[in-house]
Structures are given as structure tokens and as C-alpha cells.
Amino acid sequence: MGTMSTLPLEVMPNSTVFTLSGINASWESRYVFFCITFLYYLVIIAVNLIIIVTVALREPLHEPMYVFLCNLCLNGLYGTSGFYPKFLYDLLSDVQEISRSGCFVQLFVIYSAVLCDFSTLTVMSYDRSVAICRPLEYHTVMTRGTVFKLIVFSWFLPISIMFLTLVLSSGVTLCGSHIEKLYCENWAVVKMTCTSNLANNVLGYFVIVIYFGHVIFILFSYVKLIKTSLKSAANRSKFIQTCTPHLLSLINVTVASLFDMMYSRYGSRDFPQGLRHFLALEFLIVPPLLNPLIYGLKLSKVRNEVLKHVISYIVKF
């Protein structure tokens, strides 16, 4: 069959339906994309669930660092649930569209998950800082109550920010109905406002300041970690073993998020469609799979417990 594309609907103020940028491909290609995407999503679910279940069931992993890792994987499942099911449905649909309320729910889930990734990685850097720089105080500082408060913080802040974002975005009059992405995102909605979007811009800068503070805290923690690790071979070994996965995950999430932010604001329609879609989706494709793999492969304790858990399950089966 011939190629298909999604054309913007007639501009209607405060339209109740948004059209999304479709994939210009034949139905045969769409079926291939559907199968690849479906399998990839299953792998994301499986890998993250393996880490979550292993941490939950294996007592040796009931330590703050692994609880935070479990939280990171749980957030990966939460964030991808906002994109993949809808995208899989759109691949088999003639028209790629989403209701206004559905659009706000989708952008809330996706971007609260992105912010939660940063908050969780910040919390993990604090945990590593205490473990390596103040080892004798670690269990006194990182109590169950403290771990619970840090996890609540990693979720409460992003959800609160996205709630404010939705309140501001949902209350404006829109003079457009087409989003040049495969999913809803706040900047695309804000650009369609008929009036000044000063409040959204102020909130955007506020969020940048907050998460720039996260980055400063992480950098400060790593300066302390590096200084401490240079003092002894044991500290260096501990730093390499436990901080390398954290650093790789941080780079992974940061680069992916910058890709999305830069493309949203400065992306050109002159780019090939495939490249535009990759730039827009990179943070939904790479971090959810790489984060559990990085920790699962690098941390020997996690790797060994995963193998024990899988082997015990196979034996019982």
C-alpha cells in the first residue's frame, strides 16, 4: 500500500483533539516497526522487572544503594508506560491523534519520569558520598526512615513540578492542534498558546534552576568522592565499583534529556524524518534499558543475585 502521513487538522481555538506527527511509511513497514518496538518494550519491562524483583526478594540487596536502584528501574517502567502503548497503537492507526486530556496525561507521565530520574540519581550520589566519605556513620545516617524520605523526595518534587506545569498549560487558550512529535510534550503545547506564555516561561526557568542545583550537588559530591578515594586503594576500588554505574547512568540520562530539550526548541523540520524522530525519542529509548543493564552488569552483587534468582526460578519450574 502507499505511504501515509498525518496532516494538521483545521486550526480551532482550544481544540479537544491534537494530531501527532505520524510515520511516513507503508503498512508493511509499519508492521515491522510495530514488531520491533513491541519486542523492545518487552525487553525494557523484563530487564527492569528482573532488577526490581531481585532487589525485593534477595535479602543481601536490602541496602539503600540497591533500594535506590530499584526506584530508578520502577521509574523507568513508569515513564515508558506513558509512551510505548500509545505509540504502538498509533503505528496501526490511520490517523495519529490524541485527546487534549490524554495529551496532558502523557506529557505528565513522561516528563515527571525524566525529572524523577535526575532526582533519583542525585539521591544516589548522596548515598555514595556518605558510604565512601563517612563509612563509619553510613548506617547511622542512611536509616530506613532516611531512605524512605529520599525516595519520597525523588517522586514528590517531579510530580509537584509537572502538576504546576499542567495547571498552567491546561488553563490557556490554544490556537493550534498539531504537535510535531510522536507524543505530547509541554513545549509543543505552550507554542500553540494564543496569548503570552510568560507564566510557563517563568516556571521553565524555575525548573532549570532547581535541577541545575541537582547537578551542582552531584558535582560537589563527586569532588568529595574523588578526594576521598585517592587516599586509599580500598576507597578507590569502592569508588570504581559503585560510582562508575552511577556516573554512566547520569551521563546517559543527561545527554538524552539535552537531546530532547534542544530538539524541542531548536529542531529543524529540514532534518530527515527518521533523524527528527530519533532525536525526540532518544531519552525514551536509551535510558530505560541502559540504566538497569549498566547496574546489573557492573555491580557484581546485583549480577550475582540476579543469576541466583533466575537459576532458583528455573530449578523450581
Side-chain angles (χ1 to χ4, degrees), residues 83-84 87 182-183 260 276-287:
F83 170 72
Y84 283 94
F87 178 61
L182 296 171
Y183 59 92
D260 176 66
R276 283 190 282 127
H277 287 330
F278 175 77
L279 292 175
L281 295 177
E282 203 267 346
F283 78 106
L284 288 165
I285 295 174
V286 181

Side-chain angles (χ1 to χ4, degrees), residues 28 55 75 103 121 219 273 294:
E28 289 79 5
V55 171
N75 182 58
C103 178
L121 289 169
L219 291 176
Q273 188 188 60
I294 287 171

Side-chain angles (χ1 to χ4, degrees), residues 7 27 29 32 45 47 67 78 108-109 143 184 205 234 243 286 294 301:
L7 297 175
W27 279 107
S29 297
V32 173
I45 293 173
V47 170
V67 173
Y78 164 70
F108 177 88
V109 172
T143 62
C184 283
Y205 288 124
C243 293
V286 181
I294 287 171
K301 199 168 183 179

Side-chain angles (χ1 to χ4, degrees), residues 44-217:
I44 289 176
I45 293 173
V47 170
N48 282 278
L49 277 180
I50 287 173
I51 298 293
I52 292 170
V53 172
T54 302
V55 171
L57 297 182
R58 310 299 292 190
E59 191 171 346
L61 298 180
H62 291 177
E63 298 177 14
M65 180 174 68
Y66 304 115
V67 173
F68 296 138
L69 170 59
C70 185
N71 188 58
L72 191 67
C73 293
L74 184 64
N75 182 58
L77 293 179
Y78 164 70
T80 53
S81 70
F83 170 72
Y84 283 94
K86 177 67 171 69
F87 178 61
L88 288 168
Y89 175 82
D90 285 344
L91 282 174
L92 302 181
S93 301
D94 291 323
V95 179
Q96 289 72 52
E97 59 184 23
I98 188 171
S99 67
R100 180 169 174 145
S101 59
C103 178
F104 287 134
V105 169
Q106 186 178 55
L107 70 87
F108 177 88
V109 172
I110 290 175
Y111 287 98
S112 61
V114 173
L115 297 181
C116 187
D117 265 345
F118 276 106
S119 294
T120 302
L121 289 169
T122 303
V123 165
M124 293 173 83
S125 72
Y126 172 71
D127 172 73
R128 290 300 83 207
S129 178
V130 176
I132 295 176
C133 300
R134 300 155 59 191
L136 298 179
E137 303 174 37
Y138 182 72
H139 292 291
T140 303
V141 175
M142 299 302 293
T143 62
R144 287 188 177 183
T146 302
V147 171
F148 176 76
K149 290 175 184 177
L150 290 173
I151 289 176
V152 169
F153 163 78
S154 69
W155 284 92
F156 178 76
L157 181 62
I159 288 175
S160 298
I161 288 173
M162 288 311 302
F163 178 76
L164 287 174
T165 300
L166 285 191
V167 169
L168 292 177
S169 298
S170 61
V172 299
T173 301
L174 302 178
C175 290
S177 62
H178 184 64
I179 296 175
E180 283 291 335
K181 275 193 174 184
L182 296 171
Y183 59 92
C184 283
E185 58 109 5
N186 192 60
W187 185 251
V189 174
V190 168
K191 287 193 295 186
M192 292 190 287
T193 56
C194 303
T195 55
S196 171
N197 53 18
L198 176 63
N200 277 287
N201 287 334
V202 170
L203 179 60
Y205 288 124
F206 177 69
V207 173
I208 290 173
V209 169
I210 289 178
Y211 280 89
F212 182 72
H214 282 46
V215 173
I216 294 298
F217 179 84

Side-chain angles (χ1 to χ4, degrees), residues 249-294:
S249 292
L250 181 64
I251 293 171
N252 180 24
V253 172
T254 302
V255 171
S257 300
L258 285 175
F259 262 34
D260 176 66
M261 184 176 68
M262 298 300 290
Y263 172 74
S264 296
R265 287 158 176 73
Y266 310 112
S268 172
R269 295 190 65 181
D270 295 331
F271 291 166
Q273 188 188 60
L275 177 59
R276 283 190 282 127
H277 287 330
F278 175 77
L279 292 175
L281 295 177
E282 203 267 346
F283 78 106
L284 288 165
I285 295 174
V286 181
L289 183 60
L290 275 193
N291 283 342
L293 286 179
I294 287 171

